[in-house]
């Protein structure tokens, strides 16, 4: 039975005091002296890039060899496996060599003129912009406050030109008036309309 107030004892026998727990690494484990005195540099792994096939070169060669079916083309590609040449990104722009005076990165900002800082030039420019902005806002408020004119007010101030009456009549009406000599002789003049 367990002792009162104590956990159960382990029934396994532990190794002696000279035993070290964990895994011992012969290459790296040299203690503090090696960690301080030597820098453990890892060599980068070189991965060879497999370039894609150059079909622009292989296709004319396959046609010249007399390939006509897809199977023949596939066999030709296995027999003559031509890969694209690896070109650097800058080689297409600057040729095969990079210029010696070329610098990489962003150009620095232009230096701020110290004379303008001392004489508060930037504050004056800001004040001028604020004044111009206030004037524009004031003019906009004036325009909003004015009564907007409509068609009636425009016609009052700008009346339309008076149309001249023309005495021209179509020819068919001229024939009718030529038959009517006087109101008394007209056959409809004798008829009186009464209720």
């Amino acid at each position: 039975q367990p002792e009162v107030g104590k956990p159960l004892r382990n029934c396994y026998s532990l190794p002696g005091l000279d035993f070290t727990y964990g895994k011992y690494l012969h290459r790296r484990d040299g203690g503090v002296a090696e960690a301080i005195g030597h820098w453990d540099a890892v060599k980068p792994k070189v991965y060879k890039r497999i370039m894609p096939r150059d079909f622009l070169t292989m296709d004319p060669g396959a046609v010249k060899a007399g390939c006509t079916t897809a199977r023949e083309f596939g066999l030709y590609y296995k027999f003559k496996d031509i890969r694209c040449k690896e070109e650097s990104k800058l080689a297409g722009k600057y040729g095969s060599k990079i210029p010696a005076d070329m610098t990489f990165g962003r150009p620095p900002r232009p230096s701020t003129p110290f004379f303008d800082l001392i004489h508060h030039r930037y504050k004056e420019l800001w004040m001028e912009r604020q004044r111009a902005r206030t004037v524009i806002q004031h003019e906009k408020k004036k325009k909003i406050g004015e009564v907007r004119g409509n068609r009636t007010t425009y016609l009052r101030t700008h009346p339309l030109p008076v149309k001249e009456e023309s005495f021209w009549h179509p020819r068919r009406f001229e024939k009718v008036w030529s038959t009517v000599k006087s109101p008394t002789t007209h056959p409809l003049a004798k008829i009186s309309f009464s209720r």
Side-chain angles (χ1 to χ4, degrees), residues 17 49 55 64 138 152 166:
L17 296 173
R49 184 182 171 193
F55 289 103
K64 286 178 184 177
H138 191 63
T152 309
S166 65

Side-chain angles (χ1 to χ4, degrees), residues 114-130:
F114 200 68
F115 185 78
D116 292 345
L117 287 174
I118 293 172
H119 289 277
H120 307 288
R121 177 69 181 152
Y122 296 105
K123 184 191 89 171
E124 291 171 6
L125 290 172
W126 182 81
M127 293 289 285
E128 288 174 8
R129 273 188 254 130
Q130 292 300 320

Side-chain angles (χ1 to χ4, degrees), residues 73-84:
F73 270 89
L75 291 172
Y76 183 83
Y77 293 154
K78 286 182 182 178
F79 180 67
K80 295 266 187 177
D81 191 13
I82 301 171
R83 299 285 175 170
C84 295

Side-chain angles (χ1 to χ4, degrees), residues 18-111:
D18 58 342
F19 181 77
T20 306
Y21 293 92
K23 189 177 180 182
Y24 183 78
L25 300 174
H26 295 280
R27 295 179 182 175
R28 296 184 181 179
D29 194 7
V32 179
E34 188 179 343
I36 294 172
H38 303 283
W39 183 259
D40 192 8
V42 180
K43 292 180 180 179
K45 293 181 180 179
V46 179
Y47 293 99
K48 191 176 181 181
R49 184 182 171 193
I50 299 170
M51 298 300 291
R53 286 180 170 175
D54 190 4
F55 289 103
L56 295 174
T57 308
M58 288 192 291
D59 286 345
V63 172
K64 286 178 184 177
C67 299
T68 54
T69 61
R71 186 175 181 279
E72 290 174 355
F73 270 89
L75 291 172
Y76 183 83
Y77 293 154
K78 286 182 182 178
F79 180 67
K80 295 266 187 177
D81 191 13
I82 301 171
R83 299 285 175 170
C84 295
K85 294 178 181 178
E86 188 174 2
E87 296 179 0
S88 62
K89 294 179 182 178
L90 296 171
K93 189 174 181 182
Y94 298 105
S96 59
K97 293 183 180 179
I98 300 170
D101 58 343
M102 182 176 178
T103 55
F104 295 91
R106 296 177 65 184
R109 284 177 51 193
S111 59

Side-chain angles (χ1 to χ4, degrees), residues 174-195:
E174 289 177 4
K175 290 178 183 176
V176 172
W177 289 106
S178 63
T179 55
V180 179
K181 295 177 182 176
S182 65
T184 54
T185 58
H186 198 275
L188 296 176
K190 298 177 182 178
I191 301 171
S192 62
F193 298 99
S194 61
R195 290 188 180 180

